[in-house]
Amino acid sequence: SNRITLCAIHRPSSAYNEIRGKTRRQEGWLSLPIYSNLKLFEFSKEMNLTQKRLITEVYKLKSLYRKKSAQYRTLMYHSIVSSQNNGSSSLWEIDKKLFISHVNYLKSIPYLNIEPIDKLKSPIKGSCISITLDDGYRDAYEKVSPILLSLGFPFTIFVITSFIKAGRCEYMDEKMLKELACNPLVTIGSHSMNHICLTGISQQSLEKEVIESKKYLEELLGNEILYFSYPYGKYNSATKSALRKAGYKMAFSSNFNA
């Protein structure tokens, strides 16, 4: 999947396609061939505000010329900040004002539907976008949710459960997570227990990461947890098998130049 400024285009892994018994071609109205040439971002976690805005504007222009056929993309964000210089240099952060410009732009597209990620359970009709946030930062509760809920946009938060459980100050606490989970526009998913690369650990550790995080969230929220986001976007046949065994129905990955 490609990346737009601080969000990545998040795509369901082949695990879900295999569960459905078919393969969906992952091309969407935000596909941009020029991005494959921007390999410098593979080697740097920082880019300046001008670069972020340039990429955003190029995607906007590109989308105007896409056919309005049935297409789907998932946008991934991490942390939303309010920086004094109206921009952040970190790849994993995006300024609040720039985030607002993103969602306002999405709202302005008449043929685009903002859908929850479970939209993928059925055939897609029209052009759809889903919005997700990884990690479970506190700003997802304090900054992002008021913006998206005011627009009536559904969204998903994939949380690192050990960070929530430990009460780390930069992440949401259990009370915040429970409050969001009660809103019908919000879906909560797992981003593993400890945010470690799942492709480089033992089978026992892998199963613990995916099963225990699911169990913790289900006990805390009282809802079945069906969705998973791979830490670092890494997955293989073992991780897909572990997720199926644990009862997940959909898993998401993201990477550059996919």
Side-chain angles (χ1 to χ4, degrees), residues 19 189-190 192 209-215 225-228 242-251:
I19 290 172
S190 171
S192 79
E209 286 288 326
V210 302
I211 293 173
E212 292 302 316
S213 61
K214 187 176 193 292
K215 180 180 178 182
I225 301 300
L226 301 175
Y227 310 114
F228 188 89
L243 289 176
R244 291 192 191 95
K245 183 178 179 181
Y248 292 97
K249 300 300 181 184
M250 199 184 308

Side-chain angles (χ1 to χ4, degrees), residues 14-201:
S14 56
Y16 179 65
N17 291 327
E18 291 171 9
I19 290 172
R20 295 187 66 190
K22 61 188 293 187
T23 299
R24 180 189 300 279
R25 190 180 183 191
Q26 296 297 327
E27 290 186 356
W29 62 279
L30 287 175
S31 293
L32 188 63
I34 191 174
Y35 215 99
S36 64
N37 296 322
L38 301 181
K39 293 187 178 181
L40 62 97
F41 297 124
E42 286 190 73
F43 307 103
S44 172
K45 291 184 178 180
E46 294 188 353
M47 55 182 169
N48 63 37
L49 181 60
T50 301
Q51 290 170 321
K52 291 181 184 180
R53 285 177 170 167
L54 174 62
I55 296 168
T56 299
E57 293 305 316
V58 171
Y59 269 87
K60 284 184 180 181
L61 292 173
K62 181 70 176 178
S63 69
L64 295 176
Y65 298 97
R66 297 291 296 183
K67 292 179 62 177
K68 300 178 185 179
S69 57
Q71 298 170 35
Y72 178 88
R73 282 294 189 184
T74 308
L75 303 182
M76 178 184 69
Y77 293 88
H78 284 81
S79 181
I80 310 300
V81 299
S82 298
S83 55
Q84 292 182 349
N85 63 350
N86 193 32
S88 169
S89 62
S90 169
L91 180 61
W92 313 119
E93 295 177 346
I94 182 172
D95 184 77
K96 181 179 177 181
K97 291 181 179 179
L98 189 55
F99 176 74
I100 291 173
S101 74
H102 285 186
V103 294
N104 284 338
Y105 172 69
L106 295 177
K107 183 181 179 181
S108 72
I109 304 174
Y111 58 86
L112 181 66
N113 299 313
I114 311 300
E115 301 284 0
I117 58 175
D118 63 4
K119 182 73 173 180
L120 280 173
K121 290 181 179 179
S122 57
I124 293 174
K125 297 179 180 179
S127 294
C128 302
I129 282 286
S130 292
I131 298 172
T132 69
L133 297 104
D134 273 8
D135 300 339
Y137 285 105
R138 182 177 290 262
D139 53 64
Y141 174 85
E142 296 176 340
K143 295 184 176 72
V144 179
S145 63
I147 295 170
L148 296 180
L149 294 177
S150 69
L151 293 171
F153 282 4
F155 60 98
T156 299
I157 303 176
F158 293 105
V159 300
I160 305 167
T161 57
S162 69
F163 295 179
I164 303 294
K165 191 173 183 179
R168 289 179 54 166
C169 62
E170 67 268 39
Y171 293 87
M172 290 188 291
D173 59 30
E174 292 183 345
K175 183 179 178 181
M176 294 173 182
L177 196 60
K178 290 168 73 172
E179 180 183 334
L180 287 177
C182 289
N183 194 301
L185 290 175
V186 181
T187 300
I188 303 299
S190 171
H191 198 28
S192 79
M193 282 183 62
N194 299 296
H195 202 272
I196 57 178
C197 181
L198 301 182
T199 59
I201 59 178

